[in-house]
Amino acid sequence: MKRAIVAGALLALGSGAAFAEDNDRGFYAGAGIGTFDFSQDVDGLNEVDDALDDFDFDDDDNAWKVFAGYRFMKYLSVELDYVDFGRVKDRFEANGSSGDYSLELSGLAPYVIGTLPVGPVELSAKVGYLFYDVDTSVDLDANDLDADSSSSEEDLVYGVGIGATLFERLALKFEYEEIDTSGSADASAFWLSGGWRF
């Protein structure tokens, strides 16, 4: 999935010079596909603490998002995303037990985005706050100590991107984002998105 995103971004950027045109302000909306990487040192979950003693969780999954925003000028915009990071899962072997551990994450993120046009491309940096729901599931193979939990979290999110505008209004962008999670978790995403500037 990462290779497809990178290839699509390079193709779009390579063809952007002939079609790019200034579109300095106004509303825009779009969607993106990507991959979400998540790792965490898990110390336990509710009634299955003993089975998940210091388990290193690491997985990735496909992700998607939809977004809408407003460009105040070519250098500054605000944006609101709805993001579904998919379902990351991993197998564990701990204290004589084995099973599956999975997380599903989705939520809303408002951003402030700064953009620097450089020839036919636009370099961007963004910072925002992610309000998301986490559904956690542990399924043990040998007994009935399965556990599910849900929680609502909020974390700082920031990223960088490179993009180009095609056919005057179609803005394609390749982005990397990092979610500043608390504790021992690391979360990041790569995106290929397309937005229409009205």
Side-chain angles (χ1 to χ4, degrees), residues 34-74:
T35 183
F36 174 63
D37 295 306
F38 185 87
S39 62
Q40 183 179 24
D41 181 16
V42 180
D43 292 323
L45 175 67
N46 298 335
E47 62 266 30
V48 293
D49 282 351
D50 292 336
L52 286 176
D53 184 17
D54 199 27
F55 160 55
D56 292 326
F57 176 89
D58 191 1
D59 192 31
D60 59 75
D61 196 17
N62 297 332
W64 62 271
K65 65 177 178 177
V66 292
F67 56 86
Y70 185 83
R71 287 164 50 92
F72 296 101
M73 61 183 77
K74 66 171 69 174

Side-chain angles (χ1 to χ4, degrees), residues 104-179:
E104 294 182 65
L105 296 89
S106 61
L108 290 171
Y111 292 97
V112 175
I113 303 172
T115 302
L116 178 63
V118 181
V121 301
E122 296 177 340
L123 305 178
S124 63
K126 65 196 303 186
V127 62
Y129 218 69
L130 178 64
F131 301 87
Y132 61 104
D133 296 324
V134 182
D135 296 322
T136 306
S137 177
V138 178
D139 296 317
L140 297 178
D141 295 336
N143 53 47
D144 295 327
L145 290 179
D146 299 346
D148 297 301
S149 70
S150 297
S151 64
S152 295
E153 308 288 341
E154 52 187 72
D155 285 305
L156 183 71
V157 59
Y158 47 87
V160 293
I162 182 170
T165 303
L166 311 180
F167 312 110
E168 300 183 11
R169 297 189 180 274
L170 177 61
L172 299 181
K173 185 184 288 188
F174 177 62
E175 295 177 283
Y176 172 78
E177 288 182 348
E178 188 83 26
I179 303 170

Side-chain angles (χ1 to χ4, degrees), residues 70-87:
Y70 185 83
R71 287 164 50 92
F72 296 101
M73 61 183 77
K74 66 171 69 174
Y75 306 108
L76 181 66
S77 58
V78 293
E79 183 177 297
L80 179 65
D81 294 15
Y82 173 79
V83 184
D84 189 323
F85 290 111
R87 182 172 181 254

